[in-house]
Amino acid sequence: MSVRARFAPSNTGYLHMGNTRTALFNFLFARNQKGTFILRVEDTDQQRSEDRYTEAIIDALQWLNMEPDEGPIFQTDRFDTYGEKIDQLLEEGKAYKCFCTPEELEAQRQEAQEAGRKPKYSGEWRDRTDHPDDQPFVVRIKMPLEGTITVKDLVQGEVTVNVEELDDFIIRRSDGTPTYNFVVVVDDVDMDISHVIRGSDHLNNTFRQIPVYRALGQQPPTFAHLPLIDGLSKRKGSASVQDYRDLGFLPEAVVNYLSRLGWSHGDQELFSMDELTSLFGFDSVGRSPSTFDEDKFRWVNSEWMKRLELSDLAERWVPFLKDRGFDVEVDDNLIAITDLMRERADTLVALTDESTYFFSDDFEYNEKAVKKWLSPDLKPAVEALADRLQSLEEWNSDAIGTLYRELGKEFDLGLAKLAQPTRIGLTGSTSSPSVFDLVATFSRDEVVVRLQKVIDELLTE
Ligand code: GLU
């Protein structure tokens, strides 16, 4: 039987990281098994569902390179089907109308509480036939009265509950709308889902859903309930895929990092999507919760920034630079800057922060650095430096290095005495990559202009 896995988010918010991990494991499993990955949008919450969230989810999956093979399928398009199935169960005596009023239910709840029992619907209307004509009712499904329900879960192993834990839950509300635990099953049956892969917070729902499959005359699918992720709920602002994209994370890194929240392959930390799809399996998904660790995520991202082709990384960087008002495009110079700077940043935003001086000379000189490294006695040497850089035959870091060393000897100055003023002039401070590489990455004219500014403003008494 071919694998059909689905990702079933509700469209009541952006795609957050926990849900993205669920989507990813569905996607990886489907790809690994040469199966089908399907997107279903659970949009039955009329108050909170919004089209913009549906679009954001689709957009995020596309950005992550996890596009569904089928869907999106919307639950709101399927109300007639749900209605037919509920009517069918009513006719077959597998579901029944319950006329309990909210007051009666509350009284039952209190009674249970006082007797120290878990609140549970009493089954009052399960066998009654004296239905009133004109009163609102809900439809409840008949749960088995005795025995146990066992889930053979690919991650959690065999988990069993006693049916006493479960009551005849509502499948149609008094306003006629069907409920979550019912529609999920109808959908999974109609979509021919072979594997239900979702967070372990859904395990309790699974025990309710299995009897629904049986009532519908269907075999339940195989389940895989993924371990919880700690540390996500505390993060408020930046927990959605789009937030991380805006912070300058790469989709490769998001996929790579999320894959390791629950799944492992020896000690390996870095995986491409191709590797993940060929290696992924539930044998290597653990049961214990994993922790979302933003530092580690940043490390994975920094590794991906080093792994990408330079021109590819530069291309992805451009929108961030444009956002800061720098009118750049991918050319040899931007590629050279990318090459020089990518090791110094763990996100595209950090790369932008670290690199602004390449695109603008509108920066303040760092006072401490100026005080420490610049004094008027250096003026002749820096003037000579600017002069000779202007006429240097070849413009590359080797030739520039040779020039600095020669000048150092001539003026009897250690290399730092020339290098630090250069750094200050080009970047505003003394923290930068190797000075020869730095100089070589600027145009000759820009270097001379910036050195001249140092001479005029900082070395002239
Ligand atoms: N809509 C549910 C959620 O977002 C998922 C349901 C399921 O996977 O069965 O948690």
Side-chain angles (χ1 to χ4, degrees):
M1 189 181 75
S2 78
V3 163
R4 290 176 59 83
R6 88 297 193 274
F7 173 51
S10 59
N11 58 345
T12 53
Y14 292 100
L15 188 58
H16 59 72
M17 297 306 263
N19 245 352
T20 311
R21 196 270 313 252
T22 301
L24 176 64
F25 282 27
N26 274 283
F27 176 84
L28 293 177
F29 184 65
R31 285 286 170 278
N32 178 270
Q33 299 287 310
K34 311 250 175 304
T36 307
F37 173 59
I38 306 159
L39 174 63
R40 178 171 80 225
V41 179
E42 307 212 318
D43 59 343
T44 54
D45 185 338
Q46 320 260 3
Q47 248 101 58
R48 291 166 58 230
S49 289
E50 288 188 39
D51 288 347
R52 67 186 170 118
Y53 294 132
T54 309
E55 280 156 29
I57 291 165
I58 292 171
D59 178 57
L61 291 177
Q62 193 171 22
W63 182 69
L64 293 168
N65 219 346
M66 285 163 45
E67 270 177 282
D69 305 309
E70 289 178 19
I73 290 159
F74 294 94
Q75 288 185 323
T76 45
D77 290 340
R78 294 176 40 77
F79 273 110
D80 289 350
T81 307
Y82 306 138
E84 284 162 22
K85 293 288 176 199
I86 292 172
D87 291 343
Q88 180 195 322
L89 292 185
L90 277 170
E91 254 165 55
E92 293 171 356
K94 294 173 177 167
Y96 61 94
K97 294 178 182 175
C98 162
F99 293 86
C100 282
T101 62
E103 295 75 31
E104 283 170 326
L105 292 173
E106 178 55 24
Q108 282 178 24
R109 207 186 58 80
Q110 273 190 8
E111 201 184 299
Q113 209 170 19
E114 276 158 28
R117 284 181 278 117
K118 264 205 198 155
K120 180 179 157 179
Y121 173 67
S122 65
E124 169 79 21
W125 286 88
R126 187 170 167 124
D127 298 312
R128 275 173 73 168
T129 48
D130 54 336
H131 294 177
D133 283 337
D134 52 357
Q135 275 184 37
F137 62 89
V138 298
V139 176
R140 293 181 182 268
I141 185 142
K142 285 185 181 168
M143 284 279 136
L145 291 174
E146 50 193 32
T148 55
I149 294 173
T150 297
V151 183
K152 286 194 187 118
D153 192 274
L154 291 181
V155 177
Q156 309 294 329
E158 223 173 78
V159 193
T160 299
V161 291
N162 198 306
V163 293
E164 278 166 23
E165 304 272 322
L166 311 168
D167 57 6
D168 293 347
F169 67 87
I170 296 173
I171 58 175
R172 181 193 275 157
R173 300 182 189 90
S174 56
D175 66 3
T177 56
T179 59
Y180 166 74
N181 273 323
F182 182 74
V183 299
V184 164
V185 174
V186 175
D187 287 342
D188 286 338
V189 167
D190 285 355
M191 290 161 64
D192 219 2
I193 297 302
S194 65
H195 290 74
V196 168
I197 301 161
R198 58 188 172 197
S200 55
D201 49 329
H202 280 287
L203 193 54
N204 279 331
N205 288 326
T206 303
F207 296 122
R208 288 176 175 76
Q209 290 171 15
I210 286 176
V212 179
Y213 283 97
R214 296 198 177 126
L216 292 169
Q218 301 289 334
Q219 276 292 329
T222 303
F223 291 95
H225 287 92
L226 308 176
L228 295 178
I229 305 174
D230 291 336
L232 274 179
S233 53
K234 278 182 246 130
R235 304 197 42 79
K236 291 191 192 99
S238 50
S240 82
V241 171
Q242 272 87 354
D243 286 330
Y244 282 107
R245 178 175 66 187
D246 294 347
L247 285 170
F249 283 80
L250 301 169
E252 288 85 351
V254 176
V255 162
N256 187 155
Y257 180 66
L258 291 180
S259 75
R260 295 281 292 99
L261 295 181
W263 175 83
S264 60
H265 180 70
D267 293 336
Q268 192 174 332
E269 293 286 1
L270 298 173
F271 299 89
S272 67
M273 186 65 110
D274 282 349
E275 279 175 287
L276 287 173
T277 53
S278 76
L279 294 170
F280 186 83
F282 286 105
D283 292 351
S284 312
V285 175
R287 241 181 268 180
S288 45
S290 38
T291 303
F292 188 85
D293 173 352
E294 181 142 332
D295 289 340
K296 176 117 181 257
F297 186 16
R298 281 181 177 274
W299 173 79
V300 171
N301 200 57
S302 70
E303 289 299 312
W304 273 99
M305 286 178 59
K306 289 179 220 156
R307 277 188 163 200
L308 290 192
E309 289 285 327
L310 273 176
S311 56
D312 185 7
L313 185 61
E315 203 159 303
R316 298 189 205 198
W317 188 22
V318 165
F320 289 84
L321 290 165
K322 291 207 158 142
D323 232 37
R324 292 280 175 98
F326 303 133
D327 186 18
V328 291
E329 53 185 59
V330 179
D331 56 15
D332 288 349
N333 184 237
L334 188 66
I335 289 178
I337 297 171
T338 310
D339 191 17
L340 187 64
M341 301 303 287
R342 67 169 158 181
E343 297 243 356
R344 303 173 67 84
D346 55 11
T347 64
L348 291 172
V349 167
L351 184 61
T352 311
D353 293 340
E354 286 285 318
S355 309
T356 51
Y357 53 75
F358 284 105
F359 310 103
S360 158
D361 60 3
D362 185 18
F363 53 76
E364 304 278 320
Y365 296 114
N366 178 296
E367 263 179 54
K368 264 198 194 153
V370 169
K371 220 177 184 171
K372 178 157 185 208
W373 292 103
L374 296 179
S375 55
D377 57 307
L378 282 176
K379 189 174 174 184
V382 178
E383 276 175 341
L385 179 66
D387 246 22
R388 292 203 215 164
L389 283 170
Q390 181 74 282
S391 52
L392 190 66
E393 237 166 74
E394 276 180 90
W395 192 253
N396 60 44
S397 115
D398 282 348
I400 291 165
T402 308
L403 170 62
Y404 270 75
R405 278 185 281 270
E406 280 170 13
L407 265 178
K409 268 194 211 136
E410 239 172 79
F411 284 84
D412 198 20
L413 291 170
L415 194 58
K417 291 270 188 197
L418 288 172
Q420 299 299 53
T422 307
R423 284 199 169 96
I424 294 168
L426 295 183
T427 74
S429 82
T430 50
S431 100
S432 82
S434 138
V435 72
F436 309 140
D437 291 340
L438 179 75
V439 173
T441 306
F442 278 91
S443 74
R444 183 194 299 265
D445 289 347
E446 190 62 29
V447 173
V448 172
V449 167
R450 291 192 191 189
L451 285 180
Q452 193 56 51
K453 196 170 164 207
V454 169
I455 295 164
D456 295 343
E457 291 183 14
L458 302 173
L459 296 179
T460 306
E461 277 174 299

